[in-house]
Amino acid sequence: MKYLFSPRMRFSTWRKLWVWLAESEKELGLSISDEAIAQMKQHTTIQDNEFPIAAEEERRRRHDVMAHVHTYGQVAPAAAGIIHWGATSCYCTDNADLIICRDGLDILLPKLAKVVEKLSTFAEEYKNLPCLAYTHGQPAQLTTVGKRACLWIQDLLMDLRNLERARNDLRFRGVKGTTGTQASFLQIFAGDHDKVEHLDELVTQKAGFESAFIISSQTYSRKIDADVANALGSFGATCERIGGDIRHLAMMKELEEPFEKDQIGSSAMAYKRNPMRSERLCSLGRHLQNLPKDALDTYSAQWFERSLDDSAIRRISIPESYLCADACLILLDNISSGFVVYPEVIKRRIHEELPFMATENIIMDCVAHGLSRQDAHEEIRTLSLEAAAEVKERGRSNDLITRIQRAPFFAPIVNHLESLLDPKTFIGRAPQQVEKFTRSGGEVAAALQPYTEHLRTAETAELKV
């Protein structure tokens, strides 16, 4: 991804665009020599020694595109007079941006698919392990570790669909001239509208796009940038949400991200196992979800056919969005490759809360054995308040079950308490939901099908810091 947004990639893409334009113009009858085309093709990748030349040209001319036209002409002298023939600067800059954004999404999508696959494997492995669920930040009806991971997967599948749609919606700006009317090309081809349209089609095909926008101004609509940025920003929100869950679970010692043998959690507190990967994920995800505002502001601030206040901000915000999303995916891949689950801690935390959660089941069993529902409710209420006081006021363990076992009222159902307190009876259809969601032929498998080859060969992302 870093290379994709590098100066070498950007300016080399400009040169490819000039080659495609010259080739297509020659195919349609314009006088361009074979030598000119050959020299241009020979030098499509800008070399290190050419960057200072381009920089000096830009210092003199205060125009980046024309600086590179002159620089390219020095290594392809036979083409110096026809490079950029009929084009405007946005033929290079905008079409290159569309190519780079398309290729950037092609980098991100398989990585996202790999994360989904890894989380699906994790969900399947832990689909039957009960754990506390939380609503309002408070313990609620049990779920399973695998089912919770499916919540993350479902959101990531939405991101996958959003990014796929954004990628598939991209079209080429094409050959449109200074204000989108193609007037310069109509003049070059002596008023031949068919040749102008054919030129647009040829260059679009050479760039690897199925179609170009029929309507453009000097630029492609900056609403396209906002559309892609919104999809990336939404993914950023997912990253912070998942990272937050992992951090909370690490705080409760139920689940941790990978922690290496020689990793140091704190320079002062040697025992610390800080979830630094998930914290970084939250930080970058937060930044990513704020970047769409740049694209939205830039789109809404455009005047008529174009104003140049879109240029500098896009050179920052577009690369940042892609690089940030890529960094988030590297982190997600690494984290999801090495989750550490602590079943005994999870079990202990369930047992601290389960007595209260089981009271409804206990009341129903009392009724089934001939006791009054109202009397059972009152007995449970009284004992629950006493047990809660032990926990909150005296810092002791929850002893509600012990109190129920000692109360004469509950003698008919005491022998059933163990089965009534089995955590697996509180998880509903969580395991079946995970299976249906992640199984072969299910929703996850269908979404990942286009990425089969990448999933087969991809390796785990390695973190350097």
Side-chain angles (χ1 to χ4, degrees):
M1 189 67 80
K2 286 190 293 185
Y3 177 74
L4 187 63
F5 285 95
S6 68
R8 191 183 309 279
M9 179 65 181
R10 179 175 176 80
F11 300 134
S12 297
T13 303
W14 288 5
R15 290 186 175 191
K16 289 179 182 177
L17 284 158
W18 283 320
V19 170
W20 297 331
L21 179 62
E23 282 182 329
S24 301
E25 289 174 335
K26 178 179 173 62
E27 289 173 32
L28 292 171
L30 295 188
S31 180
I32 297 174
S33 69
D34 291 338
E35 183 183 11
I37 300 293
Q39 288 183 2
M40 291 175 75
K41 285 185 172 181
Q42 187 178 354
H43 297 281
T44 51
T45 300
I46 188 170
Q47 301 300 306
D48 289 348
N49 65 304
E50 295 180 83
F51 282 103
I53 298 171
E56 177 58 25
E57 289 285 351
E58 187 171 357
R59 187 193 66 78
R60 288 176 55 217
R61 305 176 190 281
R62 301 300 178 190
H63 198 290
D64 56 352
V65 172
M66 285 307 299
H68 280 271
V69 167
H70 285 278
T71 303
Y72 197 14
Q74 290 186 29
V75 294
I82 58 91
I83 295 171
H84 203 65
W85 192 0
T88 187
S89 296
C90 286
Y91 168 74
C92 304
T93 57
D94 275 38
N95 281 324
D97 284 345
L98 288 165
I99 291 169
I100 290 169
C101 287
R102 175 198 64 191
D103 294 351
L105 289 171
D106 286 343
I107 291 173
L108 295 176
L109 283 165
K111 290 185 177 183
L112 179 52
K114 187 63 177 177
V115 170
V116 170
E117 183 191 50
K118 289 183 176 183
L119 286 174
S120 297
T121 300
F122 175 80
E124 180 66 26
E125 181 179 357
Y126 290 98
K127 65 185 177 185
N128 293 310
L129 181 58
C131 66
L132 288 176
Y134 289 86
T135 60
H136 309 274
Q138 303 299 310
Q141 185 77 38
L142 300 189
T143 185
T144 69
V145 172
K147 170 62 187 296
R148 177 176 284 138
C150 285
L151 299 179
W152 305 338
I153 296 168
Q154 182 161 259
D155 292 348
L156 289 170
L157 288 181
M158 293 176 66
D159 294 316
L160 189 71
R161 287 192 294 271
N162 288 341
L163 292 172
E164 286 174 337
R165 183 203 54 75
R167 192 261 182 250
N168 293 334
D169 282 353
L170 285 178
R171 287 189 278 170
F172 204 48
R173 175 192 175 273
V175 181
K176 296 298 193 296
T178 55
T179 60
T181 66
Q182 299 177 304
S184 58
F185 295 103
L186 193 62
Q187 182 177 2
I188 289 172
F189 288 106
D192 191 327
H193 290 266
D194 290 338
K195 283 190 175 182
V196 174
E197 288 203 9
H198 196 188
L199 177 70
D200 207 0
E201 292 167 0
L202 284 173
V203 177
T204 298
Q205 291 168 7
K206 291 175 188 291
F209 283 82
E210 293 183 4
S211 65
F213 291 105
I214 297 173
I215 301 300
S216 79
S217 60
Q218 186 173 91
T219 68
Y220 67 81
S221 172
R222 297 308 182 218
K223 201 170 183 68
I224 305 301
D225 294 339
D227 191 42
V228 175
N230 281 332
L232 292 171
S234 180
F235 168 64
T238 304
C239 291
E240 185 172 10
R241 187 257 195 274
I242 293 174
D245 277 359
I246 296 169
R247 291 163 64 194
H248 280 100
L249 290 169
M251 183 173 64
M252 296 184 290
K253 298 181 173 58
E254 292 190 13
L255 176 145
E256 290 179 343
E257 63 182 35
F259 196 91
E260 295 155 20
K261 178 178 176 292
D262 295 323
Q263 184 174 331
I264 296 173
S266 168
S267 62
M269 296 170 282
Y271 61 88
K272 293 289 289 294
R273 292 173 65 94
N274 298 335
M276 64 89 172
R277 292 170 170 85
S278 299
E279 289 174 315
R280 189 183 305 169
L281 179 64
C282 289
S283 181
L284 291 172
R286 191 176 310 139
H287 179 59
L288 180 55
Q289 64 191 278
N290 282 298
L291 288 174
K293 186 66 163 60
D294 283 356
L296 291 166
D297 287 348
T298 299
Y299 163 68
S300 61
Q302 285 298 284
W303 297 354
F304 303 116
E305 279 66 46
R306 194 267 176 99
S307 52
L308 195 60
D309 58 320
D310 68 339
S311 180
I313 190 170
R314 293 176 68 252
R315 296 183 191 213
I316 298 170
S317 61
I318 293 176
E320 273 196 5
S321 294
Y322 280 84
L323 290 166
C324 194
D326 194 45
C328 287
L329 283 167
I330 291 170
L331 285 164
L332 276 171
D333 181 274
N334 184 273
I335 292 168
S336 60
S337 298
F339 280 130
V340 181
V341 178
Y342 296 105
E344 292 304 313
V345 175
I346 293 172
K347 182 178 178 181
R348 174 173 56 80
R349 290 177 58 79
I350 289 174
H351 286 167
E352 289 173 354
E353 302 292 343
L354 195 58
F356 293 133
M357 296 180 188
T359 54
E360 185 175 6
N361 287 2
I362 293 172
I363 291 172
M364 293 303 100
D365 200 49
C366 286
V367 176
H369 285 79
L371 300 176
S372 164
R373 189 267 177 198
Q374 274 57 254
D375 290 345
H377 184 278
E378 181 59 23
E379 291 285 339
I380 286 285
R381 187 187 70 83
T382 301
L383 295 178
S384 295
L385 292 174
E386 292 173 359
E390 288 291 306
V391 173
K392 295 178 180 179
E393 297 174 13
R394 300 176 181 85
R396 296 172 182 169
S397 298
N398 188 334
D399 64 353
L400 176 59
I401 299 304
T402 300
R403 292 174 182 273
I404 291 173
Q405 289 170 332
R406 291 174 180 171
F409 178 86
F410 295 102
I413 59 99
V414 164
N415 292 335
H416 302 160
L417 286 176
E418 184 175 351
S419 62
L420 291 173
L421 290 166
D422 181 358
K424 285 186 168 55
T425 65
F426 291 84
I427 60 175
R429 298 190 65 254
Q432 291 74 24
Q433 290 176 344
V434 173
E435 289 176 0
K436 184 176 181 180
F437 189 51
T438 63
R439 71 188 178 192
S440 177
E443 187 174 336
V444 173
L448 298 185
Q449 196 278 328
Y451 308 97
T452 301
E453 182 60 25
H454 175 83
L455 297 178
R456 188 179 62 81
T457 59
E459 297 180 355
T460 298
E462 181 183 358
L463 298 186
K464 304 296 185 182
V465 293

